[in-house]
Amino acid sequence: MKVAKFGGSSLASAAQIKRVFDIVNSDNKRKFIVVSAPGKRSGADTKVTDALIAYHKACKAQDERGIKVYQDWIVARYLEIYNELNMDSHIIEDIKENIQQLASLPIDNPYTYDTFLAAGENNNAKLIADYFSSAGLKSRYVHPADAGILVSSDPGNARLIQSSYERIKYLNDLEETLIIPGFFGVTAKGEVCTFSRGGSDITGSIIAAGVKAELYENFTDVNGIFAAHPGIVKNPVPIAELTYREMRELAYSGFSVLHDEALVPAYRAHVPLVIKNTNNPEHPGTKIVVQRETKGAPVVGIASSSNFSTLYVSKYLMNREVGFGRKVLSALENLGIRFEHMPTGIDDLSVVIRSHYLTQPVSKNLIANLIESLHPDEVNIERDFSIIMLVGEDMKEHVGVTARATAALSEKGISISMLSQGSSEVSVMFMVKEKDEKEALRAIYSAFFE
Amino acid sequence: MKVAKFGGSSLASAAQIKRVFDIVNSDNKRKFIVVSAPGKRSGADTKVTDALIAYHKACKAQDERGIKVYQDWIVARYLEIYNELNMDSHIIEDIKENIQQLASLPIDNPYTYDTFLAAGENNNAKLIADYFSSAGLKSRYVHPADAGILVSSDPGNARLIQSSYERIKYLNDLEETLIIPGFFGVTAKGEVCTFSRGGSDITGSIIAAGVKAELYENFTDVNGIFAAHPGIVKNPVPIAELTYREMRELAYSGFSVLHDEALVPAYRAHVPLVIKNTNNPEHPGTKIVVQRETKGAPVVGIASSSNFSTLYVSKYLMNREVGFGRKVLSALENLGIRFEHMPTGIDDLSVVIRSHYLTQPVSKNLIANLIESLHPDEVNIERDFSIIMLVGEDMKEHVGVTARATAALSEKGISISMLSQGSSEVSVMFMVKEKDEKEALRAIYSAFFE
């Protein structure tokens, strides 16, 4: 059986929902359907979720006129889809009532905001289940509480309780095609609690792991993932298959297709994932697998990401002091700063940190702490770096990958501020000045793909 | 004024001591002369220091015959030099008495061993001072206690007490050429306490710092330092000048000319150091300076060193756990393991460790600790790596240094297990399998120097 998740743009209109129906209906293995809230129909449109946020704000401000405006807009949004699908069920009354009742929830309850947000997915799932059934595919709407998605009590940042998988498994016993709203679960006390935003992908991944799906299909509005950012590299090659580790490195370093967290449940359950295009379902898309046969090309993708800084600490004979590196990391940890990399020389070390951590007061504090605890010869922070990440499972076996990449940068006269190879089995990291990021990415892409 | 230190091979015979006299006498700035014990005259010879170690052993074993043999051999060694120098002073009686009296020292006293060892330098200094004076250069033997070299009470591993510099300064007020035995100082209680072995270099460095010498001349039996190990690279180019930082990186990574510790006092006092050849004093040697003008060539030297291991730890989404890297380093610190490098990937990190730390039980313990505290997906230790270190102050400004080095390795089909550039401002680190070390060094040398 397969889990298919459809994003907001795939469910923004009646026409899109009909496509989704055709996709689901064309393969009887597509039994578990996870849906988002209706997204934008065009660039200037408003997502239902964003309207729900505004609606919540109006409730908080006791802005009666605003409340009415948003209620009407949201209900109209569902009604339009309902009408265009030529539906004829009571579901639209349910949806209307549900949207209106949100206004009477206790506004100070920490779960109320999550309940507002979740209404987008929840009502869409009800509508779609009804439509699918009316169109001839016996379907059932399943609330996350009934699906067994029990989560921690962290509004806006729910975490799955591990025992949930035991209950999710029983969804296999239901006969119908199951339509499950994404993005939220329920706490032990029955409160609605959402995952971090973009969380429908997480729901799909959880269901896939729980029912032990053979495949998790993640339908979006793109044909899959490209080997480099299409905004920087012209017509980059598409990636047919990559591993979870590769995906994780790419996602981390700038690729923004699936949220990291969404990959974990499927990865841990060894369920392969495929990213497909709702508007081009024939396209094979990009498959993410636990292991793949490598096929000669050492690099599968190249990502880049800006806004990095370095903390540099040097001290003559530093290397002799057991605990020096650990003390630097402790100083960072005490200020709540996460570090990305810590390449070290003999008597110096650099720590790569995302720039947003290093506000002026934090930087000042950090440097003062380090001077006091370590008496370094030199300590400074440098900003405006970008990271370029070459990713590929097969790189380790290929002599010369780094040689080719460094030569490409050297030819363009681009300075490598930092280079780390071999720490990770699947990536090589280059750090360059932010101003060189795009040219560096193009040069390396060209060295491996052209 | 200059400090000149002469090593054991420069003082092994009367002929050598005459050369040393000529060197000192030829430049009236050479006022502070630090001497080692007589070294080997030829390959099969015994160093006086080694004979003193054997003498101490015989005393400990109450081996009367052995005691006599070593006493006689050591005294004869000084006597031979004395005779060949045609000296005519009472000093040889002093030396004889001093050597013989060692046997009556309390053998269980923790400083007795150090006193035995120091006798080699101490008596040589007396002899040389007398000889220099008799040869027409007014000289004075200065015991480290009189020179103000006050050290911590750590037999075999003495550390200079910082306040010593204040007293050493007054050596400038003495008129004669001062002959100071290297290798030891005295504790606050007046006990003889030696530096770690090879410590005459340390004494020279301390005196240079204390008297604020314009130059510290370290006379050895080589013309200076080469850009690569002459045992691996055929006829490597000599290095005319390098900075303390460069020297430190090279010494650390396999160059064995001066002990690290010996560099520190001179470095901190900004005294330049020159390594010269007693047997070829016209040769300019290799100068070690605080700062140098870089002259186009980005790489000044290439060192290599074997016996490294890597600890690899990976965990999916590890990057999100603040404190992950710090915990790994704490686990190492708790086992007393010093780490060399810690390059990190997104979800994994490698720690480079000198293999001797990782005995079987320690490795087992370390891995068990990490599994328990971090629940990693994977943790393992790999052995038999070597490090190749490219060193040069000017590398940072040169685009393409890494490109050239990686291309050289790639051409030879040598895999780079790890590469770290940019963490240190003066070095690039390559890790290769131990079996590839020599070929890798030759390939990189050839890329930069041929």
Side-chain angles (χ1 to χ4, degrees):
Chain A
M1 289 294 138
K2 299 175 183 173
V3 170
K5 178 261 168 182
F6 294 90
S9 63
S10 303
L11 303 163
S13 65
Q16 287 293 83
I17 291 175
K18 282 179 182 170
R19 275 181 204 275
V20 169
F21 174 79
D22 290 340
I23 290 169
V24 175
N25 200 35
S26 69
D27 181 350
N28 61 16
K29 287 191 163 178
R30 290 179 175 135
K31 179 182 169 71
F32 308 98
I33 314 303
V34 176
V35 298
S36 295
K40 292 183 183 185
R41 289 156 294 188
S42 64
D45 200 6
T46 300
K47 290 180 185 179
V48 166
T49 305
D50 289 328
L52 286 161
I53 291 170
Y55 175 20
H56 176 266
K57 205 170 163 186
C59 288
K60 199 156 189 181
Q62 296 178 307
D63 166 11
E64 292 302 329
R65 210 173 65 97
I67 292 172
K68 185 79 177 58
V69 167
Y70 290 116
Q71 283 178 342
D72 289 352
W73 188 90
I74 295 163
V75 172
R77 196 68 184 75
Y78 286 106
L79 184 63
E80 186 187 321
I81 294 171
Y82 175 87
N83 286 334
E84 284 179 15
L85 288 172
N86 292 318
M87 289 174 68
D88 173 29
S89 82
H90 296 298
I91 199 70
I92 195 66
E93 297 305 321
D94 274 20
I95 292 172
K96 186 175 175 182
E97 198 187 324
N98 177 281
I99 296 296
Q100 286 173 345
Q101 278 186 347
L102 289 172
S104 54
L105 289 175
I107 201 73
D108 290 334
N109 183 306
Y111 300 98
T112 293
Y113 181 70
D114 288 32
T115 309
F116 267 77
L117 257 61
E121 275 73 7
N122 198 29
N123 288 303
N124 213 23
K126 291 182 205 165
L127 183 80
I128 289 166
D130 244 39
Y131 169 67
F132 277 19
S133 289
S134 73
L137 183 68
K138 219 176 152 193
S139 299
R140 183 206 278 215
Y141 154 76
V142 182
H143 188 275
D146 299 322
I149 303 176
L150 193 70
V151 297
S152 65
S153 300
D154 299 305
N157 193 27
R159 306 263 154 188
L160 189 75
I161 306 291
Q162 285 300 306
S163 60
S164 299
Y165 289 123
E166 267 311 298
R167 277 169 303 136
I168 293 168
K169 194 168 73 179
Y170 292 106
L171 294 179
N172 277 309
D173 298 341
L174 299 176
E175 275 177 19
E176 304 94 329
T177 295
L178 308 182
I179 314 296
I180 306 160
F183 186 34
F184 70 100
V186 291
T187 67
K189 291 187 176 167
E191 303 278 10
V192 163
C193 200
T194 62
F195 298 116
S196 54
R197 212 155 173 204
S200 287
D201 291 330
I202 299 180
T203 303
S205 189
I206 288 169
I207 298 290
V211 303
K212 303 228 179 289
E214 63 185 85
L215 184 64
Y216 170 24
E217 297 178 307
N218 194 297
F219 282 91
T220 62
D221 49 9
V222 292
N223 282 341
I225 301 171
F226 297 99
H229 194 294
I232 303 175
V233 171
K234 217 171 163 182
N235 296 322
V237 301
I239 303 175
E241 191 178 69
L242 77 175
T243 66
Y244 276 100
R245 289 211 296 179
E246 290 171 332
M247 185 66 234
R248 162 87 176 124
E249 301 260 347
L250 290 169
Y252 180 82
S253 320
F255 276 35
S256 55
V257 179
L258 275 183
H259 197 275
D260 275 348
E261 226 169 304
L263 295 171
V264 181
Y267 166 73
R268 295 234 184 263
H270 288 208
V271 178
L273 183 158
V274 65
I275 294 170
K276 286 179 73 82
N277 190 347
T278 304
N279 302 315
N280 188 11
E282 308 308 315
H283 191 287
T286 299
K287 199 164 178 184
I288 305 172
V289 296
V290 174
Q291 274 188 311
R292 70 181 173 90
E293 261 187 77
T294 48
K295 282 169 192 146
V299 177
V300 70
I302 307 165
S304 71
S305 181
S306 57
N307 280 314
F308 287 92
S309 294
T310 57
L311 167 72
Y312 174 79
V313 187
S314 86
K315 184 177 184 181
Y316 199 70
L317 292 189
M318 170 184 114
N319 185 280
R320 304 201 154 201
E321 299 181 31
V322 174
F324 197 96
R326 196 259 311 149
K327 282 177 199 161
V328 172
L329 296 190
S330 292
L332 293 171
E333 199 179 340
N334 291 341
L335 291 168
I337 300 170
R338 218 171 59 197
F339 80 101
E340 306 295 320
H341 298 279
M342 188 181 81
T344 52
I346 305 297
D347 283 339
D348 44 15
L349 59 84
S350 297
V351 189
V352 179
I353 299 164
R354 289 192 186 261
S355 299
H356 69 82
Y357 283 109
L358 298 173
T359 57
Q360 281 298 334
V362 168
S363 302
K364 217 175 143 181
N365 197 348
L366 175 62
I367 287 181
N369 286 353
L370 291 173
I371 288 176
E372 200 190 309
S373 62
L374 297 170
H375 308 290
D377 292 338
E378 197 183 334
V379 50
N380 64 57
I381 289 172
E382 233 184 301
R383 293 167 192 275
D384 301 327
F385 290 106
S386 289
I387 273 178
I388 313 262
M389 195 73 85
L390 269 74
V391 176
E393 291 275 353
D394 212 18
M395 271 188 335
K396 220 184 162 174
E397 306 304 318
H398 275 67
V399 173
V401 167
T402 306
R404 218 196 292 183
T406 48
L409 294 178
S410 176
E411 268 165 38
K412 296 278 177 193
I414 298 168
S415 237
I416 304 167
S417 302
M418 211 175 272
L419 192 175
S420 180
Q421 182 220 303
S423 42
S424 161
E425 292 188 341
V426 293
S427 67
V428 176
M429 187 271 280
F430 292 85
M431 207 165 80
V432 298
K433 292 302 283 182
E434 227 164 81
K435 66 175 174 50
D436 294 328
E437 175 184 336
K438 289 182 180 179
E439 202 186 346
L441 181 64
R442 282 191 283 259
I444 296 177
Y445 177 85
S446 162
F448 287 95
F449 291 98
E450 274 165 16
Chain B
M1 289 295 139
K2 299 176 183 173
V3 171
K5 178 260 167 184
F6 294 89
S9 63
S10 304
L11 303 165
S13 66
Q16 287 294 84
I17 291 176
K18 283 179 183 170
R19 275 183 205 272
V20 168
F21 175 79
D22 290 341
I23 290 169
V24 174
N25 200 35
S26 70
D27 182 351
N28 61 14
K29 286 191 166 178
R30 289 181 176 133
K31 179 183 170 69
F32 308 97
I33 314 302
V34 175
V35 298
S36 295
K40 292 184 185 187
R41 287 156 296 187
S42 67
D45 200 8
T46 299
K47 291 180 183 178
V48 166
T49 305
D50 289 329
L52 286 161
I53 292 172
Y55 176 22
H56 177 266
K57 208 173 161 185
C59 289
K60 202 159 188 178
Q62 296 179 306
D63 167 9
E64 292 303 329
R65 210 174 66 96
I67 290 172
K68 185 79 176 57
V69 167
Y70 289 116
Q71 282 178 342
D72 289 351
W73 187 90
I74 295 163
V75 172
R77 195 72 181 73
Y78 286 106
L79 185 63
E80 186 186 323
I81 295 172
Y82 175 86
N83 286 335
E84 285 178 17
L85 289 172
N86 293 318
M87 289 173 67
D88 172 27
S89 83
H90 295 298
I91 198 71
I92 196 67
E93 296 306 319
D94 275 22
I95 293 172
K96 187 175 175 183
E97 195 186 327
N98 177 280
I99 297 296
Q100 286 173 345
Q101 279 185 348
L102 290 172
S104 53
L105 290 174
I107 201 75
D108 290 333
N109 182 307
Y111 299 98
T112 293
Y113 181 71
D114 287 32
T115 308
F116 267 76
L117 257 61
E121 275 74 8
N122 198 30
N123 288 304
N124 213 23
K126 290 181 206 164
L127 183 79
I128 289 165
D130 246 35
Y131 170 66
F132 277 19
S133 289
S134 71
L137 185 66
K138 219 177 153 192
S139 299
R140 181 203 281 215
Y141 154 75
V142 183
H143 188 276
D146 300 322
I149 302 176
L150 193 69
V151 298
S152 65
S153 301
D154 299 305
N157 193 27
R159 306 263 154 190
L160 189 76
I161 306 293
Q162 284 299 308
S163 59
S164 299
Y165 289 124
E166 266 311 300
R167 277 169 304 134
I168 293 168
K169 196 168 72 178
Y170 291 108
L171 294 180
N172 278 309
D173 297 342
L174 300 178
E175 275 177 18
E176 302 94 330
T177 296
L178 308 182
I179 315 296
I180 307 161
F183 187 33
F184 70 100
V186 292
T187 67
K189 291 188 176 165
E191 304 276 10
V192 164
C193 200
T194 61
F195 299 117
S196 53
R197 215 164 164 195
S200 287
D201 291 331
I202 300 181
T203 302
S205 190
I206 288 170
I207 298 290
V211 302
K212 302 226 179 293
E214 63 185 83
L215 184 64
Y216 171 22
E217 299 177 305
N218 195 296
F219 282 89
T220 63
D221 49 9
V222 293
N223 281 341
I225 302 172
F226 297 100
H229 194 294
I232 302 175
V233 171
K234 218 172 160 181
N235 295 324
V237 301
I239 304 176
E241 191 178 67
L242 76 175
T243 66
Y244 275 100
R245 291 211 295 180
E246 290 170 332
M247 185 66 235
R248 163 88 176 122
E249 301 259 346
L250 289 169
Y252 180 82
S253 317
F255 276 34
S256 55
V257 179
L258 276 183
H259 197 277
D260 274 350
E261 227 170 300
L263 296 171
V264 181
Y267 166 74
R268 294 235 185 263
H270 287 209
V271 178
L273 185 157
V274 65
I275 294 171
K276 286 179 76 80
N277 191 346
T278 305
N279 302 315
N280 188 11
E282 308 308 314
H283 192 288
T286 299
K287 198 164 180 186
I288 306 172
V289 296
V290 174
Q291 273 187 313
R292 69 180 174 93
E293 260 187 77
T294 48
K295 283 169 191 148
V299 177
V300 70
I302 307 165
S304 72
S305 181
S306 57
N307 281 314
F308 288 93
S309 295
T310 57
L311 166 71
Y312 175 78
V313 187
S314 86
K315 184 178 186 180
Y316 200 72
L317 292 189
M318 170 185 113
N319 186 278
R320 302 201 156 201
E321 299 180 32
V322 174
F324 197 94
R326 197 259 310 148
K327 281 177 199 159
V328 172
L329 295 192
S330 292
L332 292 172
E333 199 179 338
N334 291 341
L335 290 168
I337 299 170
R338 219 169 61 195
F339 80 101
E340 307 294 320
H341 298 279
M342 188 181 82
T344 52
I346 305 297
D347 283 340
D348 42 16
L349 60 84
S350 296
V351 189
V352 178
I353 299 164
R354 289 192 187 262
S355 300
H356 68 83
Y357 283 109
L358 298 172
T359 56
Q360 281 299 332
V362 168
S363 303
K364 218 175 143 182
N365 196 350
L366 174 63
I367 287 181
N369 286 354
L370 292 172
I371 289 174
E372 198 190 311
S373 62
L374 298 169
H375 309 289
D377 291 339
E378 198 183 332
V379 51
N380 64 58
I381 288 172
E382 234 184 300
R383 290 166 194 275
D384 301 327
F385 290 106
S386 289
I387 274 179
I388 312 262
M389 195 74 84
L390 269 74
V391 176
E393 291 274 354
D394 212 19
M395 273 188 336
K396 221 187 162 171
E397 307 303 318
H398 275 68
V399 173
V401 169
T402 306
R404 220 196 292 183
T406 49
L409 294 178
S410 177
E411 267 164 38
K412 297 279 177 192
I414 297 169
S415 237
I416 304 167
S417 302
M418 211 175 272
L419 193 175
S420 181
Q421 182 222 303
S423 41
S424 160
E425 290 187 342
V426 291
S427 68
V428 176
M429 187 273 281
F430 292 85
M431 208 166 77
V432 299
K433 291 304 281 182
E434 228 164 77
K435 65 174 174 55
D436 294 329
E437 176 184 335
K438 289 180 182 182
E439 201 186 346
L441 181 65
R442 283 191 281 260
I444 295 177
Y445 178 85
S446 161
F448 287 96
F449 290 97
E450 274 165 15

